[in-house]
Amino acid sequence: MIVGVIGSGTMGSGIAQVAATSGCKVKVFDTKQEALDRSKQALEKILSRLIEKGRIDQTEKMRIQGNISYVDSLKDLKDANLTIEAIIEDLDIKKKVFSELETYVAEDTIIASNTSSLSIASIASSLQKPERCIGIHFFNPAPLMKLVEVIPAVQTSTQVTDKVVEIINGWKKVVALAKDTPGFIVNRVARPFYGESLRIYEEGLADIATIDWSLKTLGGFRMGPFELMDFIGNDINYTVTETVFKAFYYDPRYKPSFTQKRLSEAGYLGRKSGKGYYDYSDTAVKDTPKEDKVLAAYIFNRVLVMLINEAADALFWNIASAEDIDNAMTKGVNYPKGLLAWADEKGIDWCVTMLDNLYNEYHEDRYRCSPILRRMAKENRTFFSKKLVADN
């Protein structure tokens, strides 16, 4: 199988490594030769590091590298069976690339986008054969992260969807099938992890270090929300939030934060700029959290119930199955538990009561309880009750 990867940045290079490791012949395209050279050099470093760690040997390294070639013309992808675009998140640019690409490839070539939030249907509309277009969303770093969201557009044929799922499974990834809605699964469901934490900070209920400490200590999250935003980049995280907010017709649940907007405007982007919510300079004094168990429990429960509500609403609107939603969050962003399984553990009644208390306090629509939670509470059901019965 020949795979074309459009874009030789971090994500494109990672996708190429995944496909090449699985035995595919891969062609990485970029318009800039220096970008292709950087991609090739980065792969050399990554594979050499894997040899040092004893995960592969020299023969395997040479096999993977031998499966990848680097090209500077879209025409060179004419023999690809599958192409995956991983370039800038600009709809017009993606459409232009896809429209040109279609003139070179075969009629049965699958044309996919790695977009994290743009409409697959809109991208597909640039093609003469839109039924061949699909979303294949990897997570960074692609070789390490197990999850891949597969997003068929309304135009996508079932044959293309089935083939892509088969291919990605063959690459030893976990597929989460998602509906073509803003943010798909992960970038939609994860919004409260950042948004509600920022809201708690802006209300003055706790400082940044305390919020991060609370969610790591009580929730078991690997990184606190502010640490993670600094890691991702405040410019990137803010743009995704703003995009989802607009795409959902300004639903208050996805409302961006002025705090993050100001940091982005100031150039305090996080680790990559040396300063964000935290100072990463050598002389910086480490912030000390307030280790108050009562406050920590409030912070954790408030953020968690908002995450659960978002996951439940994704299920309510048939964005994905319960299993795929929980797999997406544990394998796509390393959550310690699936949110729907977490809801079962905490109790559906607890979730509804927490959300209703927040709504009664603030009278803001961002705290509205998903109908599926309220319905399940009345019927005394849990998300995975049938699955648990079957397992037992």
Side-chain angles (χ1 to χ4, degrees):
M1 181 179 185
I2 300 174
V3 177
V5 177
I6 301 171
S8 64
T10 301
M11 186 56 76
S13 298
I15 294 170
Q17 182 185 335
V18 170
T21 300
S22 296
C24 299
K25 294 295 182 183
V26 183
K27 294 183 177 183
V28 179
F29 162 78
D30 205 295
T31 56
K32 299 178 180 178
Q33 185 59 47
E34 57 268 31
L36 292 171
D37 292 340
R38 283 195 301 271
S39 177
K40 192 173 184 179
Q41 291 162 7
L43 180 64
E44 168 70 27
K45 289 181 181 178
I46 290 168
L47 296 179
S48 295
R49 202 174 305 130
L50 290 176
I51 290 176
E52 291 172 8
K53 293 179 178 179
R55 295 182 182 175
I56 63 171
D57 57 21
Q58 185 65 31
T59 301
E60 176 67 358
K61 174 186 174 184
M62 292 177 65
R63 183 189 72 84
I64 295 170
Q65 289 177 315
N67 281 339
I68 303 177
S69 58
Y70 299 84
V71 301
D72 59 5
S73 172
L74 273 179
K75 291 181 182 179
D76 292 323
L77 304 184
K78 63 183 179 181
D79 55 350
N81 308 107
L82 166 67
T83 62
I84 304 175
E85 164 273 314
I87 60 174
I88 186 171
E89 286 287 83
D90 184 299
L91 185 59
D92 291 336
I93 293 175
K94 290 181 189 292
K95 282 185 171 183
K96 184 178 179 181
V97 170
F98 274 44
S99 183
E100 181 184 350
L101 176 68
E102 191 178 31
T103 65
Y104 305 131
V105 298
E107 288 193 359
D108 60 349
T109 298
I110 297 171
I111 300 178
S113 175
N114 184 62
T115 180
S116 61
S117 57
L118 295 176
S119 163
I120 305 300
S122 186
I123 295 171
S125 70
S126 65
L127 300 175
Q128 294 296 317
K129 290 175 64 66
E131 64 271 16
R132 65 164 77 191
C133 186
I134 195 167
I136 305 178
H137 180 217
F138 287 79
F139 290 79
N140 195 28
L144 298 180
M145 301 304 288
K146 288 291 186 183
L147 183 80
V148 176
E149 292 177 325
V150 172
I151 311 101
V154 292
Q155 305 100 311
T156 309
S157 72
T158 55
Q159 291 84 359
V160 166
T161 302
D162 292 344
K163 182 63 177 176
V164 166
V165 170
E166 179 187 340
I167 291 168
I168 301 303
N169 281 331
W171 292 356
K172 298 181 180 179
K173 295 295 184 181
V174 175
V175 171
L177 201 60
K179 187 181 286 187
D180 184 18
T181 53
F184 313 135
I185 303 172
V186 172
N187 279 324
R188 170 188 180 149
V189 174
R191 301 277 39 100
F193 189 64
Y194 316 110
E196 199 59 25
S197 298
L198 281 159
R199 175 68 180 258
I200 290 168
Y201 168 72
E202 289 176 338
E203 287 181 27
L205 297 174
D207 59 33
I208 286 167
T210 299
I211 296 169
D212 277 352
W213 176 83
S214 301
L215 287 162
K216 289 190 295 182
T217 302
L218 296 185
F221 292 94
R222 294 186 184 182
M223 299 177 75
F226 295 96
E227 290 175 321
L228 187 52
M229 284 185 282
D230 272 357
F231 181 78
I232 294 168
N234 283 303
D235 52 339
I236 295 171
N237 189 267
Y238 178 80
T239 299
V240 172
T241 303
E242 191 176 43
T243 300
V244 172
F245 181 51
K246 290 179 179 178
F248 275 106
Y249 307 108
Y250 302 97
D251 188 322
R253 287 199 320 209
Y254 310 109
K255 186 177 180 180
S257 159
F258 280 117
T259 296
Q260 190 172 37
K261 180 176 174 62
R262 294 295 178 258
L263 259 64
S264 298
E265 292 169 341
Y268 295 165
L269 307 182
R271 288 183 177 273
K272 62 186 176 184
S273 68
K275 188 173 184 179
Y277 293 106
Y278 295 98
D279 186 342
Y280 297 94
S281 65
D282 294 336
T283 57
V285 177
K286 189 176 181 181
D287 296 328
T288 303
K290 182 180 179 182
E291 298 185 9
D292 181 327
K293 291 183 179 179
V294 174
L295 177 60
Y298 173 79
I299 293 167
F300 165 60
N301 286 332
R302 180 166 160 178
V303 173
L304 176 62
V305 80
M306 292 294 282
L307 285 166
I308 287 172
N309 196 44
E310 198 59 47
D313 219 45
L315 182 64
F316 176 72
W317 291 109
N318 295 302
I319 305 305
S321 69
E323 290 80 4
D324 280 353
I325 290 169
D326 271 13
N327 275 334
M329 304 315 292
T330 56
K331 294 179 171 58
V333 280
N334 290 320
Y335 278 19
K337 297 178 186 177
L339 292 168
L340 300 179
W342 221 333
D344 286 350
E345 182 182 304
K346 297 289 282 187
I348 305 301
D349 282 334
W350 177 87
C351 297
V352 173
T353 300
M354 276 286 297
L355 289 162
D356 284 349
N357 287 344
L358 287 166
Y359 184 83
N360 289 337
E361 180 178 355
Y362 292 100
H363 284 275
E364 291 182 41
D365 209 32
R366 82 186 266 128
Y367 298 111
R368 69 185 186 273
C369 178
S370 175
I372 196 171
L373 286 171
R374 205 175 293 284
R375 188 181 302 159
M376 289 171 67
K378 287 181 179 178
E379 298 172 0
N380 197 28
R381 290 191 292 121
T382 55
F383 287 106
F384 292 104
S385 56
K386 290 182 180 179
K387 182 176 184 299
L388 290 172
V389 169
D391 287 347
N392 291 331

